[in-house]
């Protein structure tokens, strides 16, 4: 997760793991090291392994991952009210306490500044959109269907049968 890399940087600075601190520190680091910095860190860790990477929030991060022929960008969507209910259930420190606060924080991730979060650009660039507006069981079925549908295409792309 790119967010895990950001969280490590926030902790190095002895800051609380709030969404605000994560956004602030990630933006500062992107300004210093380049907008693709966190993507490069994750790519170095995963090497050539097949895996799922979450929390791509910047166009340059996406460009880094698009260098891989078998990269697929999924946009998992859900109504904001549903996302807020899930956030409340996970009880992570620094999560928004109200729906209004969540909407405000999500708006902060819609920047046109290349060193900041550009979630609106990422979501528009998705290869596949999966709606996660129901139960976990239904979502898992949707993910399994995606994997069944795309596995043959990815195998051919990489020269495997």
């Amino acid at each position: 997760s790119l967010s895990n890399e950001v969280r490590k940087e926030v902790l190095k600075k002895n800051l609380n793991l709030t969404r605000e601190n994560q956004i602030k520190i990630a933006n500062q680091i992107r300004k210093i090291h380049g907008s693709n910095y966190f993507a490069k860190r994750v790519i170095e860790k995963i090497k050539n392994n097949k895996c799922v990477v979450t929390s791509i929030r910047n166009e340059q991060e996406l460009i880094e991952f698009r260098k891989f022929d078998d990269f697929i960008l999924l946009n998992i969507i859900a109504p904001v009210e549903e996302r807020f209910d899930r956030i409340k259930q996970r009880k992570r420190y620094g999560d928004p306490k109200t729906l209004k606060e969540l909407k405000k924080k999500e708006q902060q991730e819609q920047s046109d500044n290349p060193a900041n979060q550009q979630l609106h650009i990422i979501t528009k660039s998705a290869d596949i959109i999966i709606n996660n507006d129901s139960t976990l069981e239904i979502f898992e079925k949707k993910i399994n269907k995606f994997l069944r549908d795309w596995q043959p295409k990815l195998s051919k792309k990489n020269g495997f049968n």
Side-chain angles (χ1 to χ4, degrees):
S1 165
L2 276 71
S3 290
N4 286 345
E5 297 303 312
V6 172
R7 281 190 280 275
K8 288 176 189 174
E9 294 299 324
V10 171
L11 291 173
K12 278 185 195 176
K13 296 184 182 307
N14 293 316
L15 297 171
N16 290 327
L17 284 176
T18 63
R19 193 169 181 152
E20 291 87 3
N21 284 341
Q22 290 177 60
I23 290 171
K24 178 179 154 190
I25 297 304
N27 292 347
Q28 288 174 357
I29 290 172
R30 284 189 195 101
K31 284 177 189 160
I32 295 167
H33 297 286
S35 295
N36 59 359
Y37 176 76
F38 292 107
K40 286 184 173 183
R41 275 179 55 170
V42 168
I43 289 167
E44 179 60 30
K45 287 181 178 186
I46 61 177
K47 306 267 187 219
N48 294 321
N49 295 313
K50 302 288 181 207
C51 59
V52 173
V53 177
T54 62
S55 302
I56 298 171
R57 290 195 165 20
N58 178 282
E59 186 175 29
Q60 292 303 310
E61 293 168 348
L62 177 58
I63 288 169
E64 231 18 75
F65 285 105
R66 288 267 187 224
K67 292 177 181 177
F68 295 88
D69 290 337
D70 55 355
F71 176 80
I72 301 168
L73 179 64
L74 300 180
N75 182 13
I76 309 298
I77 62 171
V80 67
E81 296 83 5
E82 182 70 32
R83 293 195 317 275
F84 181 63
D85 286 344
R86 292 171 182 162
I87 286 169
K88 287 190 302 187
Q89 289 174 18
R90 77 179 180 190
K91 298 176 183 172
R92 184 182 288 168
Y93 178 81
D95 277 345
K97 303 292 184 228
T98 65
L99 184 59
K100 183 178 179 180
E101 186 183 351
L102 173 62
K103 289 178 180 180
K104 181 181 176 191
K105 290 179 182 212
E106 287 185 344
Q107 190 61 41
Q108 292 173 332
E109 295 185 346
Q110 311 290 321
S111 176
D112 289 321
N113 181 331
N116 292 354
Q117 279 78 6
Q118 301 176 313
L119 206 50
H120 59 298
I121 294 171
I122 304 306
T123 57
K124 289 178 187 173
S125 302
D127 301 306
I128 302 289
I129 298 171
I130 298 177
N131 197 341
N132 184 14
D133 62 351
S134 189
T135 65
L136 181 59
E137 181 182 37
I138 290 172
F139 178 64
E140 287 174 346
K141 287 180 182 179
K142 290 178 182 182
I143 294 296
N144 287 330
K145 181 183 181 332
F146 158 75
L147 292 170
R148 281 191 311 274
D149 291 350
W150 278 81
Q151 181 57 41
K153 296 170 189 163
L154 293 174
S155 295
K156 286 180 185 175
K157 220 178 205 185
N158 292 315
F160 299 108
N161 288 324

